[in-house]
Amino acid sequence: MATLDSLKQALRQKANVTASSPKQPLSDTQYSAGFDILVRGSEWMTYQGFIIPQLSQLLDPLFNSRIHISALEIGPGPKSLLGYLPGRLRRKIRKYTAFEPNGLFATRLEEWLCSASETESPLPCLENPPNIHRIPFVLQNNIRSGTSTGTRDNDEKYDIILFCHSMYGMKPKHRFIERALEMLVERPQGGMMAVFHRDGALHLDGLVCHRTASFPTGVVSVANDDETLDSFAPFVAGFIMQDVDVDKAIRVDWREVCRALARREKAHPDQLLFSSPYVMAAFTQHATKLPELTAQVPLMKGDKTVKNREARLHRPASIIRPTEVRHVQQCVRWALKHGVGLAVVGGGHSDHCLWSHVVSVDMGAFDQVHILTARKDEGDPGSDSGSLVVAETGCKTGDIVRKTMAAGVTVPLGARLSVGAGLWLQGGIGHLARLHGLACDAIVGAVMVSVDSSQVLCVGCVPSQHRPTGAFRPENESDLLWAMKGAGTNFGIVISVTFKAYAAPTYLTRNWVVPLSDNLEARLRLSDFDKLVARKLHWNCSADAYLYWDAGQLHLGVTMFESSTTRLTFATPTPTPGDAIWGLKNDIKAVDGVSLFEIEMYMSEMHGGHGGGKTSSFKRCGGAVGDVAADATAFGCRDWDFACVITGVWPRDQDGTEVARSAVRWVYNVAGELLSLSSGAYGADLGPDPRDAALAAKAFGPNLPRLARLKHSLDPGNVLAYACPLPKAPMEQKLIILVTGENCAGKDYCADVWVSVFIRCTHKSLKARAVSISDAIKREYAAATDADLSRLLRDRAYKEQHRPALTTFFQEQVRQRPRLPEEHFLNVVYGAVDVDVLLITGMRDEAPVAALSHLVPDSRLLEVHVQASEQTRRIRRGCHGGNGDGDDKKDSNNSGPSLTALDYHPSLIFDNDTTGNEAAKRFAEHYLLPFVHEDLQRLANMVRQLPDFPRPGIEFHHVLGISQQPVGLALCTSLLQTHFTGDWAKVDAVACCEVGGFVYASALASRVDLPLVLIREAGKLPPPTVSVIKPPSHISSLASNNLKEKRTEMEREAVPRGASVVVVDDVLSTGETLCAVLQLLDEASIGAENVSIMVVAEFPVHHGRELLRQRGFGRINIQSLMVFGGA
């Protein structure tokens, strides 16, 4: 499948060879026709899957820091990219300018942006008509000479500038980017510029990106018919032939070129597919600051040749070669100052050691290996009596092996002499893995430069003579050392690593090669290898199997390694199971650790290690690798028998061609198909390529959440953005507060006061925002009735005039679209992804927490019902001032029920009868701020998540496990006590159901000095008792399909009739258990009006609150400390 760029070259070459007629540029109509085919031909999927999400993520922080945004788009085509951003971002754009030389596009763009209907307007808050210049964007200022719509301002500065559809025709490209950078605002925070470029590489001559992203899997699908190809081919080529007859003839040739280079799929034989990879490069005004760095630190002399062929295609902004630790520190300071990332070059095996428009730090000058003989190194925690090896991160594996072998020791490194520190820090599966573990398991210490502070850190056991001057031990040293051992490329630039050394062995090697007739024989032979050879290996032995092509035939190759520190054991090699299966070997060799790498099959017999094409190898592991607990190091995937290595190869002269791309696709396809069958993935070669993301998600097993939090803490600026990708740290739970109440109770005013309380929170930096959910329906109503939207949103008297009609309109919309309230709710939530606390006014739903919490299962949803006396509301209804009594943004279609009319219990109730904001502030401080206290997050971090338990597909949260952690039970019961919104002095008893409830309720009852009412399975309590039928719990029903209903009971006299009871349980999921408890209390003459419920964790996806409401328990106050998605 050719790329569009290679198709363009082929079309132009065909025209040059077969036609001598002059060429002429495409007309606007011809260009428009080709562009429309491109967008229709799956290109829109690129916009939806890559461009719009990347743009939204890039601009979100910028837009949140500004009240108004001015934007410039260069080459937007018929529609603005900005018009597809989330509504929250689009509404911030107040000024819009574009350069669009295609007259047809410019007209369509203007019509789209100036749509009369506000519901259709992509940029609804523009202060002036869009300023569209119908000329190209050029290096000199050409606005005065061009044709434009709207106003003109030569000195206009922009918050955001976009090169929308590549930079074709702009040469040299870096000059156009520099020109655009001059047009960015110069306020302290500056602006942002982004380039979206299709196909070929961008050559930007030393400009440094703020951020990059790629979409290598983009595909364009084009109808395989002559008419379509006759429009598409000239668009790709960029011209037509001036002579009409010649043009007709060349179009026939171009059709055949398109058909020859395209790929076809059986499912869509009438479509031609072309690869259309995309890149995004984002720049700030810091893009030109590279000279500031190169004046301080040494540069790489000459071209840097790295091992990885893909990395060689990247064009880094510069390659720095520090020779002293302070040079590395200067690189980090520069990156932090200018908000850019760094790539790091060690062995050069990864394709992300060099990255386009990013500065790479080549550690090659740090190439020393130091061996410390066995002795106690005083003052070094973690040191033992064994020898240590200190290897600087510019060393290759071969450097370490040669020097350690000469000293009679070794380190369990990888299986290639040329690999570097990236391998040791992220795993390191080598010939000694079964005997001594992974390379990262041998790490006992490291020296690194922090990418948060640029300070030099000493972590773990580092011999005193190898600690740089000024290095110190960080407070989180244990976390850093843990992360170094399996994910060490993500948390700092490592200067040196201290390894635990072992006695150097001698190796005995055996190789077998077996030709295979077909796939069936391959499977049988691999099965023999597994069952008869690999599973019977002694711990000091290892075996690798290879499937590879050679001379047109599939082969199985097997290499066995046996290690021993006593050479005499190899005098008479013992037979192996392989001899019986594949025959005796005459080339058995005893070698040292250096020669081992040179004679193993992968390097010696398989045409440079790959059999001339595609290779899959299977490396036997287990042994010492599996002896280490999964959470003992960052390398968390240890429960596996074989590592499957998938290799695609192409001739070196085919770098960057379809041959190379095809091999890469094959590797990713095979890996993707195997991923679901695997227990993990190896992170050493994974990087920012989006195709790596699925593999990286399985690379660290249960350690991924901890690593994500450490990444957020240790690299907050994402300086090492091009290492093995880690997910963003799980955001602390968003708090969503639904502010409800009667008309003119002051809901919006209270919401604004509470926002200010959250923002001024002293113990935590929070983003908070208040939003009216009713604005959406007001916009639709205004568009349908020609009502004045601005007055509907801001003018109370005008809103009151339209209230009946607006209410009727809303009810009719809900009748036609029953899920409209949910849509509006989700739109508001998704429009506030950047905030920690979201307050929503204008809610019309009854029991909104029960009705809506399942839509946002990972967020904490509360309802605060604001009430005021009729007299107070009457006064406010006539008040037009803003002194705290008005409801200035009151929802004009929500009259809100009174509290007495509610058939459910809101989370909290606020009496807003006083003037001023002091009462509202005190309420927020006492009742709302506790929901963002760090203790709740501490508690949530104690809940372990177990995938595929109690059956596949279930993500289990071990809530009861809190009690097994230090201070876990004490913290949980303390929070249950303080979060209770009632008065403990008025509570008569704490009730609980086995078994989870017993743990937390008993501790809580002791804490608040109340009796405990036990609810147990029938027959386990002495009579007299009362009982009801209790269905199986949610988790129990998942674990088994054969569970039957049982009776549950309590002692009849355990609590007096009419007493006040707090029911405590560990979880609320489906609500069935709590329903049974409430029915039981009712049997014991404890009415629902006297009951409150407190649970440790709630799982809203199971609609537990809604079930309780349907069963008649809606008026019971239900509180939960935490909420989680999943089971």
Side-chain angles (χ1 to χ4, degrees), residues 998-1013:
F998 283 5
V999 174
Y1000 298 109
S1002 57
L1004 177 62
S1006 174
R1007 192 179 187 97
V1008 296
D1009 195 21
L1010 288 172
L1012 187 65
V1013 178

Side-chain angles (χ1 to χ4, degrees), residues 185 209 235 474 478 513 537 551 631 773 917 950 1052 1054 1119:
V185 293
C209 280
F235 170 78
S478 60
V513 175
L537 290 176
D631 60 355
I773 199 171
N917 60 17
R1052 183 181 296 278
Q1119 294 180 250

Side-chain angles (χ1 to χ4, degrees), residues 216-363:
T217 56
V219 173
V220 169
S221 176
V222 180
N224 185 15
D225 62 73
D226 292 351
E227 182 180 357
T228 300
L229 294 178
D230 285 348
S231 294
F232 180 69
F235 170 78
V236 174
F239 58 84
I240 59 173
M241 310 307 293
Q242 202 171 81
D243 184 277
V244 175
D245 293 331
V246 173
D247 187 62
K248 287 182 179 179
I250 199 63
R251 291 195 190 212
V252 173
D253 292 338
W254 278 354
R255 295 173 201 160
E256 298 311 310
V257 171
C258 290
R259 288 165 176 147
L261 294 181
R263 190 182 79 195
R264 295 173 175 84
E265 293 182 345
K266 292 181 179 179
H268 304 284
D270 57 342
Q271 296 291 308
L272 303 179
L273 303 180
F274 299 94
S275 174
S276 179
Y278 251 95
V279 296
M280 181 199 77
F283 302 87
T284 66
Q285 284 152 325
H286 299 283
T288 58
K289 301 300 182 181
L290 181 58
E292 185 181 303
L293 177 63
T294 56
Q296 303 177 61
V297 297
L299 289 172
M300 182 76 196
K301 294 181 180 179
D303 293 332
K304 173 67 178 179
T305 301
V306 295
K307 185 76 172 176
N308 189 280
R309 310 292 296 183
E310 290 285 279
R312 297 185 192 185
L313 300 177
H314 300 154
R315 293 178 172 268
S318 183
I319 302 178
I320 305 298
R321 188 177 171 89
T323 57
E324 302 174 35
V325 175
R326 65 181 179 89
H327 292 154
V328 180
Q329 292 179 276
Q330 287 168 321
C331 290
V332 171
R333 292 190 195 107
W334 174 82
L336 291 170
K337 177 181 177 181
H338 298 296
V340 299
L342 298 171
V344 180
V345 185
H349 274 252
S350 70
D351 68 346
H352 50 277
C353 61
L354 303 179
W355 203 255
S356 293
H357 326 310
V358 173
V359 170
S360 285
V361 181
D362 182 356
M363 300 299 290

Side-chain angles (χ1 to χ4, degrees), residues 33-53:
F35 183 85
D36 288 344
I37 292 171
L38 182 74
V39 173
R40 286 199 311 270
S42 305
E43 182 81 347
W44 181 239
M45 296 300 294
T46 299
Y47 283 65
Q48 291 180 311
F50 174 67
I51 294 177
I52 302 305

Side-chain angles (χ1 to χ4, degrees), residues 639-816:
D639 185 20
W640 45 275
D641 295 320
F642 292 93
C644 179
V645 184
I646 306 155
T647 309
V649 186
W650 56 90
R652 293 186 175 183
D653 60 358
Q654 296 294 311
D655 285 352
T657 68
E658 173 56 21
V659 173
R661 287 189 293 272
S662 176
V664 172
R665 280 198 302 272
W666 177 81
V667 169
Y668 278 111
N669 288 340
V670 173
E673 291 174 3
L674 292 177
L675 191 58
S676 63
L677 306 175
S678 73
S679 62
Y682 191 39
D685 291 323
L686 303 180
D689 188 312
R691 293 171 293 188
D692 289 354
L695 295 165
K698 293 192 70 172
F700 302 102
N703 298 326
L704 197 59
R706 181 180 177 186
L707 285 169
R709 288 191 291 270
L710 285 174
K711 178 69 171 179
H712 179 72
S713 170
L714 300 173
D715 186 13
N718 207 21
V719 172
L720 299 176
Y722 307 98
C724 180
L726 293 174
K728 289 189 176 180
M731 292 182 61
E732 293 189 9
Q733 216 163 58
K734 184 192 291 289
L735 175 60
I736 303 174
I737 301 174
L738 310 176
V739 184
T740 65
E742 296 174 292
N743 182 28
C744 291
K747 301 183 296 296
D748 291 284
Y749 177 75
C750 289
D752 289 338
V753 172
W754 295 336
V755 164
S756 70
V757 173
F758 282 112
I759 291 175
R760 292 182 176 87
C761 177
T762 56
H763 70 271
K764 197 169 192 179
S765 176
L766 294 170
K767 290 183 179 180
R769 183 183 304 152
V771 179
S772 173
I773 199 171
S774 65
D775 286 355
I777 201 66
K778 290 172 186 172
R779 294 178 189 278
E780 295 178 15
Y781 171 77
T785 63
D786 293 328
D788 188 323
L789 177 62
S790 178
R791 294 185 67 189
L792 275 177
L793 294 173
R794 298 175 180 85
D795 185 331
R796 173 179 295 279
Y798 187 77
K799 287 186 290 185
E800 291 299 322
Q801 293 174 17
H802 285 266
R803 178 182 299 281
L806 184 55
T807 300
T808 301
F809 177 81
F810 176 74
Q811 292 170 345
E812 177 60 22
Q813 292 297 304
V814 172
R815 187 186 68 79
Q816 297 177 19

Side-chain angles (χ1 to χ4, degrees), residues 920-933:
K921 284 184 177 179
R922 286 194 301 270
F923 176 85
E925 290 165 356
H926 186 72
Y927 291 105
L928 300 183
L929 284 183
F931 285 100
V932 294
H933 196 278

Side-chain angles (χ1 to χ4, degrees), residues 744-746 749-750 753 866-869 872-873 876 883-886 910-923:
C744 291
Y749 177 75
C750 289
V753 172
V866 180
Q867 61 184 21
S869 67
T872 300
R873 290 188 289 113
R876 289 174 180 163
N883 66 350
D885 299 329
F910 174 59
D911 290 312
N912 189 32
D913 268 320
T914 60
T915 59
N917 60 17
E918 288 304 314
K921 284 184 177 179
R922 286 194 301 270
F923 176 85

